[in-house]
Amino acid sequence: MEQRLVYEYAADGVRWARTTLRLGRDQPRLDIENRLSKPLTMTKESAFFAFPFAADDPTVRYEITGALTGDGLDHVPGAPQHMRAVRNWVSIADGDHAVAWATDEAPLVHPETIALPYAPFPDSTTPREPATVYSWVHNNVWDTNFPSQQGFTASVRYAVGVRRADERISPSGLGIRTAADLTQPVHGVLAAGPATAEPAPERSLVELDDDRVRLVSVSGAEGGVLLRLQSYAEEPVAVRVRVAVPVSAAWTATYLGDRRDELAVEGETVAVDLPRLGTAGLLLALG
């Protein structure tokens, strides 16, 4: 089912540190659990886990709430560049190669170097490594709402995802998939139904033809089903949505399900336009 490696090591400031690596069979993702036990201390301190990736000239993208930021993309003027508050994933692309890093509990990351947390935020590590992600897991440095002493035993989970052999998936699509497997894992549910001679190995209710678009949710709406879509494409896209049940009509909609413009239904497929790094709702009438 999987290969697993557990090792324990010494580190400054902790009683012990333990890492568990899990690689599932035929799984393009390495699951990582870092577990720390640390005593209380009044000493100002921070802890980071470093993830150095082998890329010489990387293009890095950070998922933030509702959009992307990173190399060459606009950002809010004055926003910190020495630290990123990500939602779940970071993608690193270099030529034909790409890797995705995802976290469920540690959204603060430092790109390239660990910066001191005081203006002007100078580097504290050298040299800068453009493909390294430093995950900031705790600190008592900020004199705000943090306790001046921090002691705990806790785990922080990560995942590193790659493309399968001969797989064509965009860096953002890789980030979406890797984060989904970590933060919203599939739950098995026993289902009762009539047996068939040749049951299908898998079934899909909804398919999108652009892996840079994420299906955020599927929910019931008045008179139909509401699909919420979010695009991580850096240009406007028209995504084709294939639905495995009969659809009699379709409309664009708000995220709350308010009906807008009617869309053409072509067999099992509906095309919907999404703005650059934007969202859209798709309302479907079934039958």
Side-chain angles (χ1 to χ4, degrees):
M1 295 298 293
E2 70 174 19
Q3 299 179 65
R4 182 179 301 188
L5 173 65
V6 181
Y7 58 92
E8 193 167 301
Y9 53 93
D12 290 341
V14 298
R15 299 184 187 93
W16 50 262
R18 183 180 303 130
T19 293
T20 301
L21 306 178
R22 295 174 55 216
L23 181 62
R25 181 178 179 180
D26 194 34
Q27 177 177 282
R29 185 185 78 253
L30 177 67
D31 292 319
I32 304 168
E33 179 185 4
N34 288 329
R35 188 163 179 81
L36 298 176
S37 177
K38 70 172 296 297
L40 290 166
T41 179
M42 289 291 291
T43 303
K44 294 291 187 182
E45 61 177 3
S46 295
F48 294 83
F49 289 111
F51 296 84
F53 296 106
D56 297 324
D57 186 22
T59 298
V60 184
R61 293 288 183 265
Y62 304 87
E63 182 204 17
I64 58 177
T65 300
L68 286 179
T69 188
D71 299 330
L73 296 182
D74 296 336
H75 58 82
V76 176
Q81 299 302 294
H82 69 283
M83 179 180 68
R84 308 283 189 173
V86 303
R87 186 171 180 86
N88 285 125
W89 56 265
V90 177
S91 68
I92 299 171
D94 188 4
D96 295 331
H97 304 285
V99 66
W101 173 93
T103 180
D104 196 28
E105 296 99 355
L108 294 179
V109 301
H110 280 216
E112 302 187 18
T113 184
I114 297 175
L116 291 179
Y118 303 104
F121 311 111
D123 297 356
S124 70
T125 59
T126 57
R128 280 182 164 261
E129 299 174 339
T132 295
V133 175
Y134 293 94
S135 174
W136 197 351
V137 295
H138 87 86
N139 81 82
N140 64 348
V141 175
W142 295 337
D143 297 317
T144 53
N145 59 340
F146 286 178
S148 50
Q149 300 184 74
Q150 290 185 24
F152 56 82
T153 298
S155 295
V156 184
R157 296 178 303 145
Y158 305 95
V160 175
V162 297
R163 294 172 174 141
R164 298 179 185 274
D166 301 322
E167 182 180 35
R168 298 181 64 85
I169 184 172
S170 68
S172 291
L174 187 58
I176 293 168
R177 183 178 72 186
T178 303
D181 291 338
L182 175 67
T183 63
Q184 296 178 316
V186 173
H187 294 280
V189 178
L190 292 175
T196 59
E198 296 182 1
E202 64 179 34
R203 295 183 185 273
S204 176
L205 174 64
V206 178
E207 292 182 5
L208 311 180
D209 72 344
D210 193 323
D211 60 51
R212 300 171 299 174
V213 178
R214 181 169 74 100
L215 177 61
V216 178
S217 67
V218 178
S219 61
E222 184 177 355
V225 174
L226 176 65
L227 278 58
R228 295 182 176 92
L229 307 174
Q230 180 176 1
S231 174
Y232 292 96
E234 296 171 30
E235 69 279 346
V237 295
V239 62
R240 296 179 63 83
V241 181
R242 191 187 71 81
V243 186
V245 294
V247 175
S248 58
W251 301 266
T252 59
T254 68
Y255 247 42
L256 297 178
D258 299 323
R259 187 183 299 181
R260 289 184 170 173
D261 301 325
E262 187 170 5
L263 298 170
V265 179
E266 301 175 359
E268 298 180 333
T269 304
V270 179
V272 58
D273 294 328
L274 281 89
R276 175 182 180 269
L277 299 174
T279 59
L282 176 60
L283 186 61
L284 303 175
L286 306 182

